[in-house]
Amino acid sequence: MSLPVGAAAAPPDYVRIFDTTLRDGEQSPGASLTSDEKLEVARALSRLGVDVIEAGFPAASPDDLLAVQRIATLVGKEPIEGRPSPEAPIVCALARATTGDIDAAWRGVSGARRPRIHTFLATSPIHREHKLSMSREQVKARVSEMVRHARSLCEDVEFSPEDAGRTEPEFLYEVLDAAIAAGATTLNIPDTVGYTTPDEFGALIAGIFAHVPGVERTIVSVHCHDDLGLAVANSLAGVRAGARQVEVAVNGIGERAGNAALEEVVMALATRRRFFGLRNGVDTTQLVRVSRLVSTRTGLFVQPNKAIVGANAFAHESGIHQDGMLKNNETYEIMRPETVGAARTELVLGKHSGRHAFSVRLREMGYELSPAELDQAFARFKALADRKKAIFDADLEVIVNVEHDDKAASWVLDALQVACGTIGLSTATVRLRGPDGAQHSHACIGTGPVDAVFRAIDAITQAPAELLEYTVQAVTEGIDALGEVGVRIRGPARGGAVNPQLGPRTRTFQGHGADTDIIVASANAYLSAVNRLVSSLDAEARTVANGDGTRSARDEGAGV
Ligand code: KIV
Ligand code: ZN
């Protein structure tokens, strides 16, 4: 049975939420995710109720293609708590306007219950002249040809005129006309460089409705970047002008300053429902949990004052505000914390809590773990409960989200001892279990205990890592709180060839660790980043050994 696509697929007051966390979001420097992590995030997005998951850019590399294929075949098809899953989300893959990219995108999503190909070509004068060296006529011809090719493979095709915000409106209408004639079902209008203002962007969308014949048979979508901090405002202006799909990323991550934040767009539509008169399918009570998952997995921490999902988003500090809140919470609160899943249960579990209570609480919090995952998480819970008296929901989130990279190929922390203080140099002795299963030890001095630990790990693993960023924060209050550490490192990239202008190619990797002892958390965070670097170098070596010398779009530095 083929499901309706384009404008016929939903009522006119329904706004589709198109999530690009795994594509544009993953383009944030250092945010690269493993295939398992992408699948985990995609499952969380499916449970959250987004309409479209942009799963990746399959032409970028064989790994990206594989990750998109896994998401397409596995997400939205699994039963939830024994019940059949709700309607599966559309799984979409990005492609430049070339047959090779479009064919790769189709290989990525063809296994999905509801596949979509998303192809794009830049239309603004600056991109036409300097990036593409194409005339207006050539751009239109390529759009026709490639949208038609995509439609020959898939009945749901989205087209984006990249940098639409800086494209001459009359030319934009002609390009969109060509895309509709070739069979595009969604027309996405990107403000690629975050240049427009809400008035301008709203007028751009209104102009499209007024001047492009046949536009009513398609869904008009908006995709706004946040370079001037206007991505959410511009997206909402687009919706007011008639757009019925909004492209967003969890926590607003994405290229440069990022994309419009999913949680902000969704809560603006929900909180100001009467103003917008529109609805969407997102279960808002899962917003904080999904934000937390994405932040942990990408290593991109959320600022405390971030709207909706920041740690302070519902905190009231001043006496006047607290007084008002006690009298009536509507004095200073336009949404309830529980609406976005931000309410914290006081003391939930402790040392004597059993596996059943633990799994019930996780289920109440929306986590669905397999029996093996539950076993591992419960073991971590018990280890934590031995050291920490009261375990809060925030601790449970860390226990579930924290990465335990037990794969055979990775380095695992076996033992650690540090000596530090004001007398003498900080010293660390580190023992790791290597990919070969053997134990390896090393002792180092450093400028502080963390530096000494990282140096010892470098000496053992011999990974060519350069530390870029180190952050530490407490998960809950109190002296026995879990410390959460984020680490970002840089290492050589695939091919490693030197570009005379840019220098050697590099990639950044992030790692995350949590423990009541922040030195242990730091060691685990650093190791998880090093393990990613090592496995990326191993994958490169495998590609070379297999004689797969083809250069991927990512090798060519294909920015999208
Ligand atoms: O910002 C942009 O223009 C994009 C397109 C590929 C949609 O991400
Ligand atoms: Zn973008």
Side-chain angles (χ1 to χ4, degrees):
M1 184 198 65
S2 80
L3 293 157
V5 293
D13 67 341
Y14 187 83
V15 179
R16 291 145 191 83
I17 301 298
F18 174 117
D19 181 275
T20 186
T21 307
L22 294 172
R23 200 278 298 168
D24 215 322
E26 212 231 354
Q27 287 172 218
S28 310
S32 66
L33 301 170
T34 63
S35 173
D36 283 350
E37 288 168 334
K38 287 181 187 173
L39 186 60
E40 186 184 13
V41 170
R43 285 193 162 127
L45 291 169
S46 168
R47 281 198 295 267
L48 181 66
V50 305
D51 301 274
V52 187
I53 296 174
E54 188 163 50
F57 176 36
S61 74
D63 288 351
D64 289 51
L65 169 61
L66 218 64
V68 173
Q69 285 172 330
R70 284 183 80 198
I71 292 170
T73 47
L74 296 173
V75 172
K77 295 184 177 171
E78 63 284 88
I80 296 177
E81 281 183 24
R83 285 180 279 111
S85 63
E87 194 179 12
I90 292 169
V91 179
C92 168
L94 185 69
R96 288 169 298 183
T98 66
T99 29
D101 270 32
I102 291 169
D103 293 347
W106 180 238
R107 280 200 298 281
V109 296
S110 53
R113 202 190 288 172
R114 305 169 71 203
R116 174 182 294 183
I117 297 175
H118 175 191
T119 186
F120 72 99
L121 185 65
T123 49
S124 66
I126 190 149
H127 280 238
R128 289 194 316 260
E129 189 181 330
H130 297 285
K131 192 178 88 173
L132 301 173
S133 301
M134 285 171 88
S135 68
R136 286 181 174 209
E137 288 314 310
Q138 285 172 321
V139 167
K140 274 197 293 182
R142 175 79 74 85
V143 169
S144 286
E145 192 188 346
M146 289 304 130
V147 170
R148 192 158 288 122
H149 177 57
R151 260 315 284 266
S152 73
L153 302 170
C154 180
E155 62 177 13
D156 189 350
V157 172
E158 173 168 330
F159 169 70
S160 292
E162 190 190 9
D163 204 14
R166 292 190 299 171
T167 299
E168 309 90 326
E170 290 69 29
F171 178 57
L172 184 63
Y173 305 150
E174 288 175 30
V175 173
L176 296 176
D177 197 28
I180 294 173
T185 45
T186 296
L187 300 175
N188 178 47
I189 310 303
D191 180 15
T192 302
V193 289
Y195 180 72
T196 63
T197 66
D199 284 353
E200 283 172 334
F201 196 69
L204 179 68
I205 301 299
I208 289 168
F209 277 105
H211 294 102
V212 181
V215 71
E216 65 291 342
R217 294 198 306 273
T218 69
I219 292 297
V220 173
S221 164
V222 290
H223 176 112
C224 298
H225 279 270
D226 208 30
D227 299 65
L228 294 174
L230 294 172
V232 171
N234 284 345
S235 304
L236 294 172
V239 165
R240 292 271 288 160
R244 288 294 175 268
Q245 175 178 287
V246 190
E247 302 203 354
V248 287
V250 175
N251 299 335
I253 63 172
E255 197 69 56
R256 304 181 312 281
N259 288 77
L262 179 150
E263 59 280 3
E264 294 178 25
V265 168
V266 164
M267 286 314 292
L269 292 175
T271 309
R272 302 303 309 277
R273 173 116 192 238
R274 260 188 285 163
F275 176 77
F276 287 104
L278 297 168
R279 59 202 175 83
N280 64 81
V282 167
D283 171 4
T284 62
T285 63
Q286 300 188 34
L287 287 172
V288 167
R289 186 174 343 112
V290 175
S291 156
R292 177 107 196 142
L293 174 70
V294 169
S295 134
T296 311
R297 293 296 178 246
T298 58
L300 299 173
F301 282 114
V302 170
Q303 83 217 39
N305 59 325
K306 164 87 178 59
I308 319 295
V309 293
N312 294 347
F314 295 92
H316 303 274
E317 186 78 13
S318 89
I320 296 173
H321 286 210
Q322 288 177 351
D323 180 53
M325 282 295 291
L326 289 172
K327 290 174 176 149
N328 181 336
N329 62 275
E330 283 182 22
T331 50
Y332 288 102
E333 236 174 35
I334 58 165
M335 342 164 229
R336 296 294 299 152
E338 50 271 25
T339 317
V340 300
R344 291 264 170 264
T345 313
E346 284 309 303
L347 179 69
V348 281
L349 298 172
K351 194 178 159 122
H352 302 293
S353 307
R355 197 175 188 282
H356 181 67
F358 177 72
S359 67
V360 167
R361 184 66 202 135
L362 286 185
R363 211 161 325 116
E364 281 166 5
M365 291 168 67
Y367 289 105
E368 300 293 335
L369 302 191
S370 68
E373 286 167 342
L374 188 64
D375 284 346
Q376 283 174 10
F378 187 61
R380 295 200 284 273
F381 164 73
K382 278 293 182 192
L384 179 62
D386 276 343
R387 285 173 290 151
K388 190 172 188 296
K389 246 165 78 189
I391 311 264
F392 298 92
D393 284 353
D395 296 314
L396 293 182
E397 275 169 9
V398 172
I399 286 171
V400 176
N401 286 332
V402 84
E403 196 176 354
H404 271 246
D405 224 343
D406 288 327
K407 286 180 228 104
S410 53
W411 293 91
V412 179
L413 181 67
D414 211 29
L416 166 68
Q417 189 174 32
V418 292
C420 60
T422 52
I423 305 164
L425 288 166
S426 298
T427 315
T429 307
V430 173
R431 194 171 68 215
L432 303 182
R433 191 160 34 82
D436 52 0
Q439 288 178 338
H440 305 255
S441 302
H442 202 89
C444 269
I445 52 171
T447 53
V450 173
D451 182 46
V453 168
F454 289 5
R455 282 171 192 268
I457 292 175
D458 285 345
I460 298 172
T461 61
Q462 294 287 307
E466 180 197 347
L467 182 66
L468 296 179
E469 198 180 302
Y470 171 84
T471 51
V472 59
Q473 62 184 26
V475 174
T476 52
E477 287 162 15
I479 192 70
D480 60 354
L482 272 180
E484 203 174 13
V485 174
V487 158
R488 194 183 302 280
I489 61 172
R490 179 158 52 205
R494 206 186 287 267
V498 177
N499 174 320
Q501 266 133 38
L502 302 175
R505 273 200 203 98
T506 57
R507 275 190 80 181
T508 50
F509 302 87
Q510 56 80 26
H512 171 258
D515 200 280
T516 47
D517 181 329
I518 59 159
I519 306 295
V520 174
S522 304
N524 278 324
Y526 192 64
L527 266 180
S528 82
V530 164
N531 280 329
R532 282 162 196 255
L533 166 58
V534 170
S535 86
S536 133
L537 294 173
D538 286 351
E540 177 198 334
R542 276 198 305 276
T543 310
V544 172
N546 291 341
D548 177 2
T550 46
R551 288 166 63 75
S552 72
R554 186 162 282 172
D555 291 334
E556 288 160 10
V560 289

